[in-house]
Amino acid sequence: MKASLLKLLLIVAAALVSLAAGMLLSRQQQPSSPPGVPAVAGEAAALAGLLRLSLPDASGRMTPLEQWRGRTLVINFWATWCPPCRKEMPSFSRLQEQYRNRNVQFLGIAVDTPENVRNFAAKTPVSYPLLVGGNEILSRARDLGNLKMGLPFTLIIDAQGRIHARKLGGIGEAELEALLLQTPGTAATAASQAQQ
């Protein structure tokens, strides 16, 4: 009886060691996600696809998102009919001005029509580009972690093209600025400019 119990314990121990080794190996092979930002399956490909898009502004002029590669990007999915979206835009505009020379670019991608965005921008100008993605852009946002497909949805992408933070729902100016300062590349740039 003791021999069979010992044999069973050895089998269980071997299984646990194998399980731990497998988990460690799989963790090393998957791209890591920043602390507090759980990775979404297929996220890297979805982000690369988004950044390869050219989207029209409200006047129809095509704007390639790739032109901002190498910068910290704050991409906000919004709509003119969304009160929390409109509420956070003035703080986005202030932070765009404040961080313009710190390698940061804000972009608004509207889940809306060009006419609605044009009318909104005429009444409420902002200091960053407003592009039109229409309803089809929501599927891209879902692939980037907006599983509820709600608005507003904000991504902070570091200069290396990795998602540093994502937020579904409104985001306050202080919270957004803190996230920007924690984003690799942005804080170092801000610190070096503060010393000049």
Side-chain angles (χ1 to χ4, degrees):
M1 187 122 181
K2 287 184 182 181
S4 62
L5 182 58
L6 182 59
K7 187 175 183 181
L8 179 62
L9 286 174
L10 286 174
I11 291 171
V12 169
L16 288 173
V17 168
S18 295
L19 178 64
M23 288 174 61
L24 180 63
L25 182 60
S26 70
R27 179 178 280 188
Q28 290 174 346
Q29 291 176 345
Q30 293 176 358
S32 62
S33 188
V37 183
V40 175
E43 176 180 285
L47 183 56
L50 175 70
L51 297 177
R52 281 193 300 269
L53 289 179
S54 285
L55 295 173
D57 64 13
S59 64
R61 187 181 59 222
M62 296 305 287
T63 305
L65 274 62
E66 232 172 28
Q67 69 181 300
W68 294 294
R69 190 175 297 277
R71 289 187 179 186
T72 296
L73 291 175
V74 179
I75 299 179
N76 177 251
F77 295 85
W78 70 288
T80 60
W81 44 262
C82 167
C85 299
R86 294 190 312 266
K87 181 180 178 185
E88 65 188 3
M89 292 176 86
S91 63
F92 286 8
S93 198
R94 282 189 296 275
L95 288 172
Q96 174 62 76
E97 288 303 311
Q98 183 178 339
Y99 286 85
R100 182 176 304 283
N101 296 324
R102 297 180 183 178
N103 205 35
V104 175
Q105 179 63 54
F106 282 69
L107 300 172
I109 299 179
V111 181
D112 216 317
T113 66
E115 181 181 7
N116 287 347
V117 174
R118 199 170 30 256
N119 291 338
F120 174 85
K123 295 175 191 168
T124 314
V126 296
S127 63
Y128 57 93
L130 297 178
L131 306 176
V132 181
N135 288 331
E136 54 278 357
I137 202 71
L138 269 180
S139 64
R140 296 225 183 225
R142 181 196 59 228
D143 294 342
L144 293 164
N146 185 358
L147 302 180
K148 294 183 180 181
M149 295 177 66
L151 295 175
F153 177 64
T154 304
L155 293 172
I156 299 177
I157 302 164
D158 70 19
Q160 285 70 44
R162 296 176 304 229
I163 294 177
H164 175 73
R166 72 181 112 237
K167 173 79 184 244
L168 176 59
I171 186 169
E173 189 167 347
E175 179 184 1
L176 181 54
E177 185 168 21
L179 288 169
L180 278 174
L181 290 173
Q182 295 167 8
T183 302
T186 304
T189 305
S192 68
Q193 288 199 357
Q195 293 173 357
Q196 292 178 355

